[in-house]
Amino acid sequence: MKPSPKVMSSHLSRQAIVYVRQSTLAQVRENTESTTRQYGLTAIAAELGWLAEQIVVIDADLGMSGRFGSERDGFRDIVARICMGEVGAVFGLEVSRFGRSNADLTRLMELARLTDTLLIDADGVYDLGNVNDRLLLGLKGQMSEIELHFLMGRLHGAKLAAAQRGELRHPLPVGLVYDADGDVVKDPDEQIQGAVTDLFAEFHRGGSALAVMRAFDAAGRLFPQRTWGGAWAGNLKWGKLTHARVLQALKNPAYAGAYTFGRSTERRRVQPDGTVRSSRRKRAREDWTVTIQDHHEGYISWQEYLDIEVKLAANNTQRGARPAREGTALCQGIISCGVCGGRVGTRYDRGDARATYTCQVKDSIRTPQCRTVVATTVDAAVSALFLDTITEQHITIALAASDEVTDRRVRTHRAAELAVQRARYEADRAERAFTNVEPENRLVARSLESRWEAKLAQLADAEAALATAHATSAPAPQRNALQALAADLPRLWDSPTTSHRDRKRLLRSLIADITLLPATDDDSVRIGVRWHTGATDELTALRHGPGRTPAGALELVRRYGATHTSEQLAERLNAAGLLTGKGKPFTAAGVARVRDAYKIWAPRTVAIQDGEISVKHAAAQLGIPADAIYNWLIKGQVPARRAPGGRWCIPWDPATQQIYRQKVARSFRLTPKNPSRS
């Protein structure tokens, strides 16, 4: 570059910055000549008079787009140095290297004007204090920004046109590859095919992504994954199947044989510090730009993909879903409180041995009428209602309803098909009118062309409505399957091979939700059942568990509890034909639990026979605390007899006395105090 009179000693006394940038990493790897030319600007700076130690190369933005200066560390460094007055000139290969955004370039130009900094590119030297240079450089910046806009528009238009034909190639998920003709086919590797097929099979079996992951972990199986980008691009590796990988596969429509484009969109946000951050957001299925069903052979059908989508939404607890879990509580997830309207949760004690439904609202909202009920009380009543409902009569009603739904669906689809035919006729008619017009008559041609485009848009809307009607219509159940359900359901329900989760799914197929209604007494619970049809039923069940002993049995225990042992009370209760709260005969242990719940103590009968003394009497004779003797008796270290009432009786003969006195003598903790001789 020839010496310029604009370069003055005040500029040469400061630094000269050479700004090196490429928009993408691919350009850094492939467009090496451009990078070399930019580094060569250091020689031009030396020719203009800057010393080697004054020339600073800033290449931190290699591989960074110039759309936003706030995202480029190198650009921010240049702006900071200019503001501090350390820079005499900034060199770039062309003005677009400084910034594709006109706002960034304008800010740089204003700062350069205020600090008397030159901007130099291959076309010349720009003094921003000169209005002509400022006008010329601003015009070049605007042209660079507009050029980028047109380039991006043409590129995106070409991509969209190829995508609408299903020909735009993009990375395929593992299990699908491109063949020699560019068509999408299944991976010829049978091991990869088997892994992908088993993933979907496990989901159909388990019903959740977590169940798929656990099934693969339990079998010690690995799952393939293809790497993209970098030196290992396209290579296949096997690793542990994670929950995120399962969801990624289940949500990918390519496995259903569909070609899609525009499933996500870019969102930009301005951060509090002024930087702009870009992120990708998933779009709803109806908002995808291109969807071509049956584009290639898939691992599942499109209807199966839609069913998986619905099931995953039903498993998403973050959006209010309450899916079936593994616990024994049958109504878990679909039960609510009829007093405060809050959620009723499930609490398990001693593992799964005992489940309880309890209102889980905050204490500030919880009312005294909010119930806590043993799960078996509600589950038994609801399951009995469910099994009684599935009878042959109800199956006949279900078949009639199924026929009505099928007829309604046919009528709906027929209406959509007729709408498509009408829209296609109107579009063809508009096309013929446009084709027959004379080319010279542009006024009429433009009007007919606009009408044709409007009719084509209506045809596209009608076809989309028909496709949506087919996609959202679940298949009607088979008649023979419904008829066999009435006979097989009770046996299936009671089968030991049926899991708790399967029973919950069967229950939820007909029952929408269950409500614990306010009850008039504490010994019963009112249960409201709402079916998916909108019908409701109300049940009343006796409450089981501690504190739910029948009144007659409790009265008998209180009357004879002070004079009878638990064994004697159990015999008397069973003889009277009384049962426990769970409907079972009484046992000594059961009576003891009733005593403990209602504080009915067992009789302290004098069961000491001749030659026996009590623990307290023995402790007094030995001069030691009674707790020491109780400890020996519990551990079986000394002889004694336990009476039916639970009282310890010690045979106080000379041999037994010798054993007890030896225990006292051998203990270093016990110090006898005034033992009695009686």
Side-chain angles (χ1 to χ4, degrees):
M1 178 177 289
K2 296 180 180 181
S4 173
K6 297 178 183 179
V7 180
M8 306 177 69
S9 59
S10 60
H11 301 127
L12 296 175
S13 63
R14 290 177 282 170
Q15 295 177 348
I17 293 180
V18 176
Y19 184 44
V20 181
R21 186 183 66 80
Q22 290 279 39
S23 297
T24 63
L25 292 176
Q27 292 180 1
V28 176
R29 291 194 303 267
E30 299 172 5
N31 300 347
T32 57
E33 185 62 30
S34 176
T35 307
T36 303
R37 290 181 61 197
Q38 293 182 63
Y39 279 112
L41 294 174
T42 56
I44 296 178
E47 291 177 4
L48 292 176
W50 274 275
L51 301 177
E53 58 270 16
Q54 292 179 298
I55 302 174
V56 178
V57 177
I58 295 181
D59 55 2
D61 294 339
L62 281 173
M64 297 291 295
S65 174
R67 287 181 296 175
F68 300 107
S70 57
E71 296 180 353
R72 292 178 283 156
D73 294 334
F75 185 82
R76 289 202 301 265
D77 188 13
I78 293 175
V79 173
R81 289 171 183 257
I82 291 176
C83 292
M84 295 172 65
E86 300 175 354
V87 183
V90 180
F91 288 78
L93 195 60
E94 57 186 17
V95 69
S96 63
R97 298 296 173 189
F98 296 135
R100 289 285 188 177
S101 171
N102 198 38
D104 292 335
L105 183 59
T106 302
R107 182 178 60 167
L108 180 64
M109 291 167 54
E110 180 64 19
L111 294 175
R113 183 184 69 83
L114 295 174
T115 58
D116 189 21
T117 302
L118 301 177
L119 299 181
I120 303 174
D121 65 6
D123 293 333
V125 179
Y126 303 95
D127 180 4
L128 280 305
N130 187 318
V131 64
N132 293 324
D133 286 356
R134 192 161 62 249
L135 178 62
L136 178 59
L137 194 57
L139 181 60
K140 291 178 68 175
Q142 288 183 345
M143 291 177 61
S144 176
E145 186 175 15
I146 294 173
E147 177 191 13
L148 177 64
H149 171 74
F150 284 125
L151 285 174
M152 294 296 294
R154 286 196 294 267
L155 290 173
H156 182 72
K159 289 177 59 177
L160 181 59
Q164 289 174 342
R165 298 191 304 269
E167 298 176 0
L168 181 64
R169 296 183 61 163
H170 51 75
L172 295 174
V174 64
L176 296 173
V177 295
Y178 289 105
D179 62 5
D181 298 329
D183 297 329
V184 181
V185 296
K186 287 186 177 181
D187 197 311
D189 191 328
E190 294 183 357
Q191 185 180 10
I192 297 176
Q193 285 192 29
V196 177
T197 302
D198 291 345
L199 184 147
F200 287 100
E202 289 295 342
F203 181 80
H204 289 309
R205 186 180 302 111
S208 67
L210 186 61
V212 176
M213 185 190 72
R214 288 176 174 173
F216 271 71
D217 286 345
R221 297 189 57 183
L222 301 178
F223 194 79
Q225 183 177 3
R226 201 174 300 279
T227 57
W228 299 105
W232 302 99
N235 289 348
L236 191 72
K237 62 180 182 179
W238 293 79
K240 185 177 180 180
L241 182 61
T242 61
H243 185 262
R245 290 279 293 126
V246 177
L247 289 177
Q248 186 181 24
L250 294 174
K251 295 179 180 180
N252 197 324
Y255 288 119
Y259 178 90
T260 58
F261 177 77
R263 291 195 296 137
S264 62
T265 183
E266 185 179 16
R267 299 282 182 87
R268 297 192 184 101
R269 280 202 218 166
V270 180
Q271 302 299 317
D273 59 355
T275 60
V276 179
R277 290 287 179 266
S278 299
S279 61
R280 305 294 300 183
R281 296 292 182 87
K282 297 292 185 181
R283 303 169 69 180
R285 178 164 47 81
E286 56 271 14
D287 296 332
W288 293 351
T289 307
V290 177
T291 302
I292 304 176
Q293 299 180 22
D294 300 326
H295 176 265
H296 56 269
E297 182 184 4
Y299 288 85
I300 57 176
S301 65
W302 181 253
Q303 184 59 48
E304 288 177 311
Y305 173 78
L306 297 178
D307 294 341
I308 290 174
E309 189 179 62
V310 173
K311 190 170 293 185
L312 289 177
N315 292 342
N316 192 345
T317 57
Q318 294 181 350
R319 297 186 178 181
R322 301 173 73 178
R325 299 297 189 188
E326 296 82 0
T328 58
L330 186 63
C331 303
Q332 167 266 335
I334 58 173
I335 188 169
S336 59
C337 181
V339 179
C340 66
R343 176 173 177 257
V344 172
T346 307
R347 185 180 68 241
Y348 290 97
D349 299 331
R350 299 188 299 273
D352 284 351
R354 178 181 173 83
T356 306
Y357 295 131
T358 179
C359 184
Q360 290 190 331
V361 298
K362 297 180 180 179
D363 294 338
S364 58
I365 305 176
R366 186 182 177 93
T367 65
Q369 290 78 26
C370 293
R371 314 302 296 270
T372 296
V373 185
V374 176
T376 54
T377 302
V378 180
D379 293 348
V382 172
S383 59
L385 175 65
F386 175 73
L387 294 175
D388 291 343
T389 302
I390 308 300
T391 61
E392 293 186 1
Q393 180 181 1
H394 292 90
I395 293 297
T396 304
I397 298 175
L399 288 172
S402 176
D403 294 338
E404 182 180 351
V405 170
T406 302
D407 293 340
R408 189 185 307 120
R409 185 179 302 169
V410 170
R411 291 194 300 271
T412 303
H413 291 180
R414 182 58 180 166
E417 291 171 356
L418 292 175
V420 171
Q421 293 179 9
R422 169 71 64 178
R424 185 174 291 113
Y425 168 75
E426 295 290 343
D428 293 341
R429 184 179 180 185
E431 181 183 6
R432 289 194 302 270
F434 173 74
T435 305
N436 294 330
V437 71
E438 295 180 357
E440 294 80 7
N441 195 353
R442 300 305 303 165
L443 294 177
V444 177
R446 280 197 297 268
S447 177
L448 293 177
E449 184 180 11
S450 300
R451 185 181 303 173
W452 182 25
E453 291 176 353
K455 297 300 182 181
L456 289 176
Q458 294 177 5
L459 174 60
D461 293 340
E463 291 176 343
L466 178 60
T468 302
H470 283 293
T472 56
S473 299
Q478 298 290 333
R479 276 181 163 270
N480 54 359
L482 286 173
Q483 291 172 346
L485 182 63
D488 292 345
L489 185 60
R491 180 174 56 85
L492 177 65
W493 186 270
D494 296 329
S495 174
T497 59
T498 304
S499 65
H500 299 299
R501 176 179 286 185
D502 291 336
R503 292 190 181 92
K504 295 177 184 180
R505 289 173 178 166
L506 287 171
L507 190 75
R508 296 180 185 208
S509 63
L510 295 181
I511 295 179
D513 54 59
I514 295 169
T515 305
L516 295 181
L517 302 174
T520 56
D521 58 349
D522 294 336
D523 294 332
S524 63
V525 57
R526 292 171 58 218
I527 306 168
V529 179
R530 185 171 67 90
W531 304 85
H532 283 297
T533 59
T536 59
D537 283 307
E538 183 177 328
L539 307 173
T540 302
L542 295 176
R543 302 182 68 178
H544 302 322
R548 305 302 164 198
T549 304
L554 183 59
E555 181 184 358
L556 193 148
V557 172
R558 282 175 171 163
R559 182 188 306 170
Y560 298 103
T563 58
H564 289 64
T565 64
S566 296
E567 291 85 351
Q568 293 171 343
L569 283 175
E571 293 176 359
R572 182 178 287 271
L573 290 168
N574 292 330
L578 299 174
L579 300 175
T580 65
K582 294 184 178 181
K584 298 180 180 180
F586 280 96
T587 62
V591 174
R593 286 192 293 270
V594 174
R595 287 182 184 274
D596 182 63
Y598 292 94
K599 309 301 181 185
I600 303 174
W601 309 119
R604 300 294 293 174
T605 56
V606 181
I608 298 178
Q609 301 177 0
D610 294 339
E612 295 178 340
I613 61 175
S614 65
V615 173
K616 291 184 178 180
H617 193 187
Q621 291 201 23
L622 297 173
I624 61 175
D627 291 342
I629 298 180
Y630 280 118
N631 185 37
W632 297 340
L633 293 172
I634 293 173
K635 295 181 179 180
Q637 297 176 353
V638 291
R641 178 182 65 86
R642 196 159 193 175
R647 191 173 187 181
W648 291 99
C649 303
I650 303 174
W652 205 243
D653 52 57
T656 304
Q657 293 182 33
Q658 183 65 22
I659 294 174
Y660 276 80
R661 297 187 187 279
Q662 288 178 356
K663 289 287 292 182
V664 175
R666 293 172 183 172
S667 175
F668 62 90
R669 291 190 179 91
L670 297 177
T671 302
K673 298 179 180 179
N674 302 323
S676 61
R677 299 298 179 183
S678 58

